[in-house]
């Protein structure tokens, strides 16, 4: 083995078309033999190979392989390019790429020789003098080996001085292996690390006429140039470990505190979820902590001595509930109740007398083209007559209005106005929509929006009846069944009023049970006398009639009051017709009497 010390050697091999296949095989053997006698390794000699013709191809770089076997395999796999002879281009590549630290060359300050061995059989087809000078000035020692037809002037232009030690001409490819042994002697010299006591703690690197010490990975050379100290990779603070950085031989690893595990990024930590193991036995909730877990009960429950099971807390006895009449504990909470004949006030604690017809009323009026403008004005009068008989206030009755045709529009929600005058004024300003009749879409809008707490509906716990009154004059152009059902299932008491071409089947589908008491029909907008009887309902369970479920006497009273008021309005709408009929009957009777008197005189 050559013991000269570490070298960075790059073979630059001519594979132009003038090199015949069997000749190229002798060039392979030349490289393999030389490498076989070098001490190769990451801290010893490094070898790279490039081939060139009209272009340059990197076979392997100085950082690719560090064993002779790997290099031999790569060299035997070379496929010649078989084109032109661009030797200058190859030297340029060696200088700009092959001998860079990125490709494995050791830094210049380490004074490791950089050697380029150019093997060619012909005259270059490009200029080599200038680029070879640049390469030599960059610290590359160039050996120029010409075979058979090589141009001596070109070899001399490429090689480093003294030329007699760097220029070689081999008469034929058959003699190149014999030449290889002579060439090897040129590369090898005295190993200074072997000739004297170097004192290096880890390893000694021989250079021409001298040596220097190197440390193993993870260590740094001390100021004495011989001993080594471990590198603390955590000291610079750039490790990025969330919890702990552990230094080890120039590298580091991140560790987590007890109760945490290292994430896939090998830097951040996450708390171990002990509850996920499935053996906590907590009745309600398991809470993980860094050293284990503990059990926690839901609101309204108390953890028992076994630290696992929970028991409901009687909040009525444990807190200042503030209920005026009675406190009733529920799971994790409580609610206030009032005696019969009284209702819970808005604060959810105080009790008061039943309001006079206090309801949340949303009227859904048909604004389709078939209603016609003059009849739409009658509808608005009908709405305002209902409002006149209601005790409108934030804590009394609240009124909302929705108009629909081919689309749906909230004219005003339940929480918009707080007096009858405000509502009546807003009703008269409603503009007629015209177009189609999408009753199903209107019902959907009423259920999802109009009776929401966001739009002013009071919570169900306040026992304020929710009433929907649908006024239509024709067949719906969409399906009403689903949203009519959902409206009633959500607790809305539905009334259906049909006029003109309204479809009885649809009115019945909208109306609450008993259906006969919750829908009415009139042939036109001016003759609705018979609606009076249809609105006289008995809906309270204590009356023994009807199946509407009422949750409190106040709710019943409110519904009865609402029905009474509605009946009064319907009666007033036909008042003029009845008056004219009465006057007509009186006039007829007088005429008949006059006729009888006249006949008697005759």
């Amino acid at each position: 083995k050559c013991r000269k010390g570490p070298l960075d050697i790059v073979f630059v091999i001519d594979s132009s078309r003038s090199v015949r296949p069997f000749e190229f095989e002798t060039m392979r053997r030349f490289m393999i033999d030389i490498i076989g006698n070098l001490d190769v390794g990451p801290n010893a000699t490094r070898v790279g190979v490039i081939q060139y013709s009209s272009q340059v191809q990197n076979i392997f770089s100085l950082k690719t392989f560090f064993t002779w076997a790997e290099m031999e395999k790569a060299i035997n796999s070379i496929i010649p390019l078989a084109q032109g002879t661009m030797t200058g281009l190859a030297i340029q590549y060696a200088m700009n790429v092959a001998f860079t630290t990125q490709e494995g060359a050791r830094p210049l300050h380490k004074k490791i020789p950089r050697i380029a061995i150019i093997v060619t059989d012909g005259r270059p087809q490009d200029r080599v003098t200038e680029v070879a000078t640049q390469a030599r000035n960059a610290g590359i020692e160039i050996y120029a080996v010409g075979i058979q037809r090589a141009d001596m002037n070109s070899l001399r232009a490429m090689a480093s001085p003294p030329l007699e030690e760097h220029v070689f001409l081999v008469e034929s490819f058959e003699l190149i292996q014999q030449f290889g042994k002579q060439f090897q002697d040129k590369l090898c010299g005295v190993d200074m690390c072997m000739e004297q006591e170097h004192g290096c703690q880890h390893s000694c690197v021989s250079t021409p006429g001298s040596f220097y010490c190197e440390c193993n990975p993870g260590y740094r050379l001390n100021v004495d140039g011989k001993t080594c100290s471990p590198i603390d990779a955590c000291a610079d603070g750039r490790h990025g470990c969330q919890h702990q950085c552990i230094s080890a031989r120039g590298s580091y690893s991140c560790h987590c505190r007890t109760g945490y595990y290292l994430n896939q990024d090998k830097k951040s930590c996450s708390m171990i979820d002990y509850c996920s193991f499935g053996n906590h036995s907590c009745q309600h909730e398991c809470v993980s902590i860094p050293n284990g877990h503990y059990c926690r009960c839901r609101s309204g429950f108390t953890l028992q001595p076994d630290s696992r099971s929970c028991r409901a807390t009687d909040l009525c006895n444990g807190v200042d509930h503030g209920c005026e009449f009675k406190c009733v504990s529920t799971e994790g909470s409580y609610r206030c109740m009032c005696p019969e004949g009284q209702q819970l006030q808005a604060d959810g604690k105080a009790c008061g007398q039943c309001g006079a017809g206090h309801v949340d009323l949303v009227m859904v009026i048909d604004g389709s083209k078939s209603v016609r403008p003059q009849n739409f004005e009658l509808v608005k009068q009908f709405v305002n007559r209902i409002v006149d008989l209601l005790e409108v206030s934030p804590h009394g009755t609240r009124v909302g209005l929705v108009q629909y045709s081919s689309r749906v529009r909230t004219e005003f929600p339940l929480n918009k106005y707080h007096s009858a005058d405000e509502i009546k004024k807003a009703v008269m300003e409603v503009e007629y929509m015209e177009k189609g009749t999408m009753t199903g879409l209107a019902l959907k809008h009423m259920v999802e929006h109009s009776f929401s707490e966001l739009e002013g509906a009071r919570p169900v716990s306040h026992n304020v009846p929710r009433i929907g009154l649908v006024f239509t004059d024709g067949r719906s152009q969409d399906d009403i069944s689903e949203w009519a059902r959902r409206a009633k299932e959500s607790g809305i008491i539905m009334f259906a009023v049909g006029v003109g071409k309204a479809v009885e089947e649809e009115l019945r589908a909208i109306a609450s049970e008993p259906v006969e008491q919750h829908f009415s029909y009139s042939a036109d907008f001016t003759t609705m006398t018979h609606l009076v009887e249809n609105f006289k309902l008995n809906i309270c369970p204590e009356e023994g009639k009807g199946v509407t479920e009422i949750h409190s006497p106040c709710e019943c009273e409110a519904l009865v009051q609402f029905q009474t008021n509605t009946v009064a309005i319907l009666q007033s709408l036909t008042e003029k017709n009845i008056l004219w009929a009465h006057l007509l009957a009186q006039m007829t009777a007088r005429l008949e009497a006059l006729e009888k008197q006249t006949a008697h005189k005759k």
Side-chain angles (χ1 to χ4, degrees):
K1 293 286 185 179
C2 178
R3 299 297 180 185
K4 179 178 179 179
L7 304 170
D8 286 344
I9 300 177
V10 174
F11 288 92
V12 183
I13 304 302
D14 181 356
S15 65
S16 60
R17 67 173 64 91
S18 63
V19 180
R20 288 169 288 186
F22 77 91
E23 295 173 338
F24 192 81
E25 293 304 316
T26 61
M27 295 173 69
R28 289 188 208 267
R29 195 72 255 163
F30 167 71
M31 290 187 286
I32 292 171
D33 287 346
I34 292 179
I35 295 171
N37 288 287
L38 295 174
D39 184 18
V40 296
N43 295 321
T45 294
R46 299 183 182 181
V47 178
V49 176
I50 62 176
Q51 68 165 333
Y52 74 95
S53 60
S54 297
Q55 58 188 4
V56 181
Q57 181 186 37
N58 182 49
I59 305 303
F60 58 86
S61 63
L62 291 168
K63 66 179 180 180
T64 307
F65 302 124
F66 298 112
T67 66
W68 178 82
E70 291 175 312
M71 297 177 186
E72 180 187 27
K73 182 178 179 181
I75 291 171
N76 284 328
S77 300
I78 298 174
I79 299 174
L81 298 173
Q83 296 173 353
T85 310
M86 303 294 285
T87 310
L89 181 65
I91 297 173
Q92 185 82 41
Y93 181 89
M95 177 177 62
N96 293 340
V97 180
F99 279 110
T100 61
T101 55
Q102 291 85 352
E103 290 296 308
R106 265 73 64 98
L108 290 172
H109 72 267
K110 290 195 174 183
K111 299 180 181 179
I112 296 176
R114 295 182 174 183
I115 298 174
I117 303 173
I118 302 172
V119 183
T120 179
D121 81 324
R123 183 188 300 273
Q125 294 176 337
D126 57 353
R127 296 181 179 179
V128 297
T129 303
E130 183 179 349
V131 69
T133 300
Q134 293 175 357
R136 294 193 299 268
N137 291 338
I140 301 173
E141 185 178 359
I142 300 177
Y143 287 86
V145 181
I147 303 174
Q148 200 165 294
R149 299 171 294 272
D151 177 56
M152 177 57 75
N153 290 331
S154 298
L155 297 176
R156 295 173 66 88
M158 292 186 286
S160 296
L163 296 179
E164 60 270 16
E165 294 184 9
H166 292 83
V167 176
F168 304 92
L169 183 60
V170 183
E171 294 179 359
S172 67
F173 282 93
E174 289 81 1
L175 298 175
I176 195 169
Q177 281 186 283
Q178 181 180 352
F179 161 74
K181 295 174 183 176
Q182 300 172 1
F183 183 77
Q184 182 179 323
D185 294 337
K186 294 285 184 182
L187 295 176
C188 295
V190 177
D191 188 341
M192 298 300 293
C193 293
M194 300 292 292
E195 293 295 319
Q196 63 187 61
E197 183 64 35
H198 53 75
C200 297
Q201 182 179 356
H202 285 180
S203 60
C204 174
V205 179
S206 182
T207 61
S210 185
F211 70 90
Y212 65 90
C213 297
E214 274 193 346
C215 296
N216 294 335
Y219 293 82
R220 64 164 57 93
L221 194 65
N222 294 326
V223 291
D224 61 7
K226 296 181 180 293
T227 58
C228 301
S229 297
I231 297 173
D232 185 359
C234 298
D236 60 7
R238 294 181 296 178
H239 49 78
C241 298
Q242 183 178 355
H243 285 182
Q244 301 168 350
C245 176
I246 307 298
S247 182
R249 294 189 178 183
S251 184
Y252 68 89
S253 60
C254 297
H255 288 211
C256 297
R257 294 192 294 269
T258 303
Y260 293 80
Y261 64 89
L262 195 64
N263 294 322
Q264 289 185 350
D265 61 6
K266 302 300 181 183
K267 294 181 181 292
S268 61
C269 301
S270 295
M271 190 171 71
I272 297 172
D273 185 3
Y274 290 98
C275 295
S276 65
F277 298 161
N279 57 354
H280 53 75
S281 303
C282 297
Q283 183 179 351
H284 283 185
E285 299 172 1
C286 175
V287 181
S288 284
I289 56 177
N291 295 322
H293 74 280
Y294 68 90
C295 295
R296 182 172 63 191
C297 297
R298 294 191 294 271
S299 177
F301 291 81
T302 304
L303 191 66
Q304 298 305 295
D306 63 3
S307 298
R308 289 183 173 83
S309 57
C310 302
R311 180 176 295 176
T313 303
D314 185 358
L315 293 179
C316 289
N317 293 327
V319 299
D320 183 13
H321 52 75
C323 296
E324 180 180 334
F325 177 68
K326 184 180 180 180
C327 175
V328 178
S329 288
T330 60
E331 185 175 319
S333 185
Y334 69 91
R335 61 185 176 88
C336 298
M337 292 185 64
C338 293
E340 184 176 350
Q342 295 187 27
Q343 66 180 5
L344 200 63
Q345 299 303 296
D347 62 2
K349 298 179 182 294
C351 297
Q353 296 299 319
C354 295
H358 292 177
V359 296
D360 284 344
L361 170 64
V362 174
M363 288 179 276
V364 182
I365 59 175
D366 185 348
S368 61
K369 188 175 182 179
S370 60
V371 173
R372 299 186 183 280
Q374 63 272 25
N375 289 333
F376 189 72
E377 292 303 313
L378 291 176
V379 173
K380 293 198 290 186
Q381 292 177 23
F382 170 71
V383 169
N384 277 347
R385 295 298 297 276
I386 292 178
V387 174
D388 278 335
L389 298 175
L390 298 175
E391 292 185 7
V392 178
S393 70
H395 298 296
T397 289
R398 299 179 183 179
V399 178
L401 182 65
V402 173
Q403 183 186 177
Y404 73 96
S405 59
S406 298
R407 56 188 178 89
V408 183
R409 183 173 71 203
T410 297
E411 301 295 353
F412 51 84
L414 289 166
N415 56 4
K416 176 71 173 178
Y417 301 115
H418 304 307
S419 70
D421 289 341
E422 289 178 309
I423 293 174
K424 290 167 63 179
K425 182 175 182 295
V427 169
M428 296 313 296
E429 292 175 353
V430 171
E431 295 184 359
Y432 179 36
M433 292 175 71
E434 296 191 291
K435 297 189 178 179
T437 310
M438 302 294 282
T439 311
L441 185 64
L443 291 171
K444 180 178 185 293
H445 180 89
M446 180 193 72
V447 173
E448 292 185 340
H449 301 286
S450 301
F451 282 107
S452 67
E453 292 185 29
L454 183 65
E455 293 202 1
R458 283 161 283 197
V460 177
S461 61
H462 288 191
N463 295 322
V464 177
R466 294 181 174 183
I467 298 176
L469 176 59
V470 179
F471 197 101
T472 181
D473 87 320
R475 180 184 295 275
S476 177
Q477 294 173 335
D478 62 350
D479 180 61
I480 67 164
S481 58
E482 178 183 356
W483 287 102
R485 174 180 56 79
R486 290 197 187 187
K488 290 175 281 190
E489 288 177 352
S490 66
I492 303 171
I493 300 169
M494 296 298 299
F495 289 86
V497 178
V499 179
K501 295 181 181 181
V503 179
E504 181 177 344
E505 180 184 355
E506 292 184 354
L507 298 175
R508 287 178 173 273
I510 295 171
S512 292
E513 295 288 345
V515 173
E516 298 297 335
Q517 298 178 0
H518 289 81
F519 95 97
S520 296
Y521 172 79
S522 180
D524 59 57
F525 286 86
T526 58
T527 59
M528 296 187 291
T529 307
H530 71 283
L531 296 182
V532 174
E533 295 300 323
N534 288 348
F535 273 107
K536 292 181 178 179
L537 310 180
N538 288 316
I539 61 171
C540 300
E542 52 267 35
E543 296 294 333
K545 297 181 180 179
V547 296
T548 302
E549 182 181 359
I550 306 300
H551 297 285
S552 74
C554 291
E555 185 177 355
C556 176
E557 185 175 331
L559 287 172
V560 170
Q561 184 65 49
F562 170 75
Q563 293 168 37
T564 302
N565 293 342
T566 305
V567 167
I569 293 167
L570 293 173
Q571 288 176 332
S572 67
L573 289 175
T574 58
E575 203 171 65
K576 292 182 179 180
N577 291 337
I578 295 172
L579 178 61
W580 281 108
H582 181 67
L583 291 174
L584 182 61
Q586 287 181 337
M587 292 177 64
T588 302
R590 288 187 180 184
L591 288 172
E592 289 178 352
L594 288 173
E595 288 177 356
K596 288 180 181 180
Q597 290 177 4
T598 304
H600 181 72
K601 288 180 179 180
K602 288 180 178 181

